[in-house]
């Protein structure tokens, strides 16, 4: 009779159905654990913790001793580097003292001492250090002298009053020299017959420099033309746009322009016929009429200047795209500092454009105090003139933004609606901190332990402001205009200062009849009011 042997073990094989059931249960459990981990706001590191060396490992003591020896060696090397750096600084101080004492010594004595130092370099390491520091200082001074000579040559070649204006360009990895950007700007002004000054429609006065306007108009004995371009008009309502156009046309011809489409989720205003195609066509016809009036044998050069990220390259791309260009003539980006050099774009045989890097023009309202510098930096951050990586502290910019938007309760409510926040607490504490804490919680900008990251939340607010997701603008100033009867100065009366007179027409070469559809000014006003 066949049967199992008494000592034979029982088989551990399981049906495939049961094995699959266990695998599905395990997978479902892991999926549930991952879902719960995502819902948990507490921060966890994704790096797995090092388990260390097992106690049962036979060579654990030897490995720990090697690790400790490596740490000790690194500490000794760091101490040696600090000692060398301290010796270098000490050597520079000794060198300055020696040079101060040697002011009355003859050249022969100096040569003898240098020869003695060369002979004693091997015996005295401090002497070798002093000699190398002296050589490096001399080389640095030679470079400075050569750079100053080159700047003087360029300044004498320009032959204009532009040398007295100091500009500050955006620092970049390739060329962080401010003078290099100044040279490019002056080169654009010198070569251009017409200068397009691009302004941000949300803050035209903030992106405008009266000194630069005077410099452009004084170049070539007043033979250059300056046109103000009000870009990003889709981010402001029609009444504000009309007020700014009325204000800016007191000084220079001003054209509204939509150089590019809005960013994703941006809050824009519809200005009916003021589209990208129509506004770029208006600007193109104005430039072509100027070229036709000049009747030059060469092409008319049009320089484009302005603050960083106001849309200078987008203006050129808008003009070239209407000609059926395949791609963008100039690279563009949401951040400042995309254009770093002079770029020439040829439209046709009678017109060429000059793109320039963004330059932060000098401000006349700032003094040397620390608070003034912080406020000026915050203003530049709101103008998108500073790349995000170069913003040291974004919180003052958010404070300035809240201050501007708080002037209008409607704008402040729209800001709170963007993030879905309740009214801010302004009675106790700082309103900026309260606002950024709520933004950090809404957008998930939390640090370890669920602590709100104020800096990251402020960067988020600045990015939303840059892309137009936050609505806000500056209202045009209202200037008192003297009556027409009092504009003239009588012989018996003293002159009245600071009188304003509206420019009723443009220069002859900038006549724009028929460029706004039917050409009637009334229809343009209706479009802006609608």
């Amino acid at each position: 009779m066949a049967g199992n042997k008494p000592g034979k073990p029982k088989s551990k094989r399981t049906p495939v159905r049961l094995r699959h059931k266990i695998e599905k249960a395990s997978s479902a459990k892991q999926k549930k654990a991952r879902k719960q981990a995502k819902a948990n706001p507490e921060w966890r590191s994704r790096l797995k913790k090092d388990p260390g060396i097992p106690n049962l490992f036979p060579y654990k003591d030897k490995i720990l001793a090697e690790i400790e020896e490596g740490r000790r060696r690194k500490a000794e090397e760091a101490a040696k580097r600090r000692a060398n750096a301290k010796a270098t600084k000490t050597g520079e101080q000794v060198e300055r003292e020696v040079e101060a004492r040697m002011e009355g010594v003859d050249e022969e004595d100096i040569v003898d001492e240098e020869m003695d130092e060369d002979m004693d370099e091997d015996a005295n390491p401090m002497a070798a250090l002093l000699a190398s520091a002296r050589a490096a200082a001399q080389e640095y001074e030679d470079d400075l002298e050569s750079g100053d000579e080159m700047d003087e040559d360029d300044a004498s070649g320009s032959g204009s009053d532009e040398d007295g204006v100091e500009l500050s360009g955006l620092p970049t990895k390739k060329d962080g020299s401010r003078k290099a950007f100044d040279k490019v700007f002056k080169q654009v002004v010198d070569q251009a017959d017409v200068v397009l000054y691009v302004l941000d429609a949300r803050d035209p006065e903030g992106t405008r420099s009266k000194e630069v306007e005077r410099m452009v108009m004084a170049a070539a004995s007043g033979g250059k033309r300056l046109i103000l371009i009000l870009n990003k008009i889709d981010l402001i309502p029609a009444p504000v746009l009309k007020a700014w156009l009325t204000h800016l046309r007191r000084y220079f011809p001003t054209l509204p322009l939509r150089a590019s489409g809005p960013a994703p989720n941006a809050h824009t205003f519809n200005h009916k016929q003021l589209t990208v195609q129509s506004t770029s066509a208006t600007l193109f016809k104005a430039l072509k009429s100027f070229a036709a009036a000049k009747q030059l044998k060469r092409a008319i050069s049009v320089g484009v200047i302005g603050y960083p990220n106001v849309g200078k390259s987008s203006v050129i791309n808008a003009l070239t795209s209407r000609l059926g260009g395949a791609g963008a003539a100039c690279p563009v980006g949401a951040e400042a500092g995309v254009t770093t050099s002079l770029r020439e774009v040829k439209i046709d045989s009678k017109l060429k454009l000059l793109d320039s890097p963004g330059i932060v023009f000098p401000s006349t309202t700032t003094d040397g105090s620390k608070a003034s510098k912080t406020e000026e930096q915050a203003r530049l951050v709101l103008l998108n003139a500073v790349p995000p990586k170069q913003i040291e502290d974004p919180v003052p910019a958010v404070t300035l933004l809240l201050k501007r938007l708080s002037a209008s309760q409607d704008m402040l409510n729209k800001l709170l609606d963007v993030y879905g926040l309740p009214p801010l607490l302004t009675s106790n504490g700082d309103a900026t901190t309260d606002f950024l804490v709520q933004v950090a919680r809404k957008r998930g900008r939390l640090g370890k332990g669920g602590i709100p990251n104020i800096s990251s939340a402020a960067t988020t607010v600045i990015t939303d402001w840059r892309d137009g997701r936050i609505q806000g603008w500056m209202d045009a100033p209202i200037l008192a205009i003297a009556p027409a009867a009092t504009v003239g100065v009588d012989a018996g009366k003293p002159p009245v200062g600071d009188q304003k007179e509206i420019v009723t027409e443009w220069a002859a070469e900038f006549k724009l009849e028929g460029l706004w559809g039917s050409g009637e000014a009334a229809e343009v006003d209706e479009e802006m009011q609608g």
Side-chain angles (χ1 to χ4, degrees):
M1 183 177 177
N4 293 333
K5 295 181 180 179
K8 186 175 180 181
K10 201 170 184 180
S11 175
K12 295 182 180 180
R13 294 178 64 185
T14 57
V16 177
R17 175 180 54 79
L18 181 60
R19 188 166 69 246
H20 286 330
K21 183 178 180 181
I22 295 174
E23 291 176 356
K24 288 174 65 177
S26 176
S27 176
K29 184 178 180 181
Q30 294 176 5
K31 184 177 180 181
K32 184 178 180 181
R34 287 194 300 268
K35 188 175 181 181
Q36 291 178 351
K38 287 182 179 180
N40 189 1
E42 184 179 356
W43 181 85
R44 292 187 185 86
S45 175
R46 298 196 176 195
L47 299 177
K48 294 184 179 180
K49 187 178 180 181
D50 186 9
I53 304 173
N55 293 329
L56 298 179
F57 191 71
Y59 303 105
K60 179 176 181 178
D61 296 337
K62 183 178 179 180
I63 293 176
L64 292 177
E66 291 177 355
I67 294 174
E68 188 64 28
E69 179 67 20
R71 290 177 180 173
R72 186 185 62 79
R73 196 181 302 113
K74 286 184 178 180
E76 290 179 355
E77 292 176 357
K80 190 181 296 184
R81 285 195 298 269
R82 286 195 296 268
N84 292 338
K86 188 176 181 181
T88 303
K89 293 181 180 179
T90 307
E92 292 176 356
Q93 295 176 357
V94 172
E95 181 187 4
R96 286 194 292 269
E97 294 177 0
V98 171
E99 290 178 354
R101 294 174 184 174
M102 290 175 61
E103 289 181 354
V105 181
D106 298 335
E107 294 182 359
E108 296 179 356
D109 297 336
I110 296 175
V111 173
D112 294 338
E113 288 182 7
E114 289 180 353
M115 293 178 62
D116 295 338
E117 288 180 359
D118 293 338
M119 295 176 61
D120 297 338
E121 280 183 359
D122 297 334
N124 188 4
M126 184 57 69
L129 190 61
L130 281 173
S132 63
R134 187 171 298 167
Q138 184 64 30
E139 183 180 356
Y140 178 70
E141 290 178 359
D142 294 340
D143 293 341
L144 283 181
E145 291 177 0
S146 62
D148 293 339
E149 291 176 359
M150 292 176 62
D151 294 340
E152 290 176 1
D153 295 340
D154 295 338
S156 61
S158 62
S160 62
D161 297 335
E162 300 168 5
D163 304 332
V165 180
E166 292 186 357
L167 309 174
S168 58
L170 283 177
T172 58
K173 295 181 180 178
K174 296 182 179 179
D175 187 4
S177 174
R178 177 184 59 80
K179 294 182 179 179
F181 284 94
D182 295 354
K183 292 176 183 178
V184 173
F185 171 76
K186 294 173 182 177
Q187 184 180 357
V188 170
V189 175
D190 290 338
Q191 295 182 6
D193 300 301
V194 180
V195 177
L196 302 182
Y197 198 170
V198 185
L199 308 177
D200 192 332
R202 293 181 291 181
D203 188 7
E205 287 295 337
T207 53
R208 181 186 175 197
S209 173
K210 303 291 183 61
E211 187 66 29
V212 172
E213 293 175 1
R214 285 193 290 266
M215 184 175 61
V216 172
M217 299 307 296
S221 302
K224 297 185 182 296
R225 290 288 184 264
L226 179 64
I227 303 179
L228 302 182
I229 303 298
L230 205 59
N231 194 20
K232 304 180 182 179
I233 60 173
D234 55 330
L235 299 180
I236 61 175
V240 178
L241 173 60
K242 182 181 178 183
W244 273 115
L245 290 176
T246 303
H247 173 72
L248 295 175
R249 283 172 180 169
R250 298 171 183 263
Y251 308 98
F252 297 100
T254 307
L255 288 177
L257 181 68
R258 285 186 61 184
S260 60
N265 300 326
H267 297 281
T268 59
F269 295 90
N270 184 15
H271 295 298
K272 295 184 180 179
Q273 295 186 4
L274 297 181
T275 61
V276 177
Q277 293 78 11
S278 62
T279 53
S280 60
T282 300
L283 176 59
F284 182 78
K285 291 179 181 178
L287 297 176
K288 291 295 288 183
S289 64
F290 176 81
K294 282 295 183 180
Q295 296 181 353
L296 299 178
K297 294 182 179 180
R298 60 173 177 84
I300 296 295
S301 298
V302 180
V304 185
I305 62 174
Y307 269 70
N309 205 28
V310 294
K312 299 181 297 298
S313 299
S314 298
V315 170
I316 296 179
N317 291 337
L319 292 175
T320 56
S321 63
R322 65 172 303 281
L323 300 177
C330 300
V332 295
E335 299 180 0
V338 176
T339 304
T340 57
S341 61
L342 180 65
R343 179 179 287 101
E344 181 177 317
V345 180
K346 187 174 182 181
I347 300 294
D348 54 23
S349 60
K350 293 296 182 181
L351 190 63
K352 66 177 180 180
L353 306 176
L354 300 176
D355 190 12
S356 63
I359 298 178
V360 177
F361 299 109
S363 177
T364 58
T365 58
T366 58
D367 50 11
S369 62
K370 185 177 180 181
S372 178
K373 291 181 180 179
T374 303
E375 185 176 355
E376 177 65 14
Q377 183 70 12
R379 185 184 72 87
L380 294 178
V381 170
L382 289 186
L383 293 176
N384 311 319
V386 182
K389 295 181 180 179
Q390 298 179 13
I391 300 177
E392 298 178 357
D393 186 11
V395 176
V398 178
T399 303
L400 181 58
L401 178 62
L402 288 177
K403 181 180 178 182
R404 292 181 178 179
L405 297 183
S406 298
S408 173
Q409 188 63 34
D410 187 27
M411 289 187 184
L412 186 60
N413 293 336
K414 290 181 179 179
L415 171 64
L416 299 179
D417 292 341
V418 171
Y419 301 101
L421 305 181
L424 300 179
L425 301 177
T426 56
S427 58
N428 296 327
D430 187 10
T432 304
T433 304
D434 179 35
F435 172 70
L436 292 178
V437 167
Q438 297 187 53
V439 171
R441 290 173 177 170
K442 283 286 185 178
R443 293 296 177 91
R445 300 294 189 265
L446 304 175
K448 190 174 182 179
I451 300 176
N453 191 336
I454 301 298
S455 179
S456 178
T459 304
T460 301
V461 174
I462 293 173
T463 303
D464 292 340
W465 166 259
R466 178 196 67 193
D467 295 339
R469 299 185 187 95
I470 298 176
Q471 290 186 4
W473 53 82
M474 301 294 290
D475 292 327
I478 301 176
L479 300 179
I481 304 174
T486 61
V487 171
V489 179
D490 297 337
K493 295 183 180 180
V496 180
D498 194 19
Q499 290 182 340
K500 300 290 189 274
E501 182 177 0
I502 297 179
V503 178
T504 56
E505 61 179 359
W506 290 6
E509 58 268 19
F510 281 120
K511 294 295 183 180
L512 298 178
E513 285 84 2
L515 297 184
W516 297 98
S518 60
E520 286 81 1
E523 293 187 5
V524 177
D525 295 340
E526 291 177 0
E527 292 174 9
M528 292 183 178
Q529 292 176 355

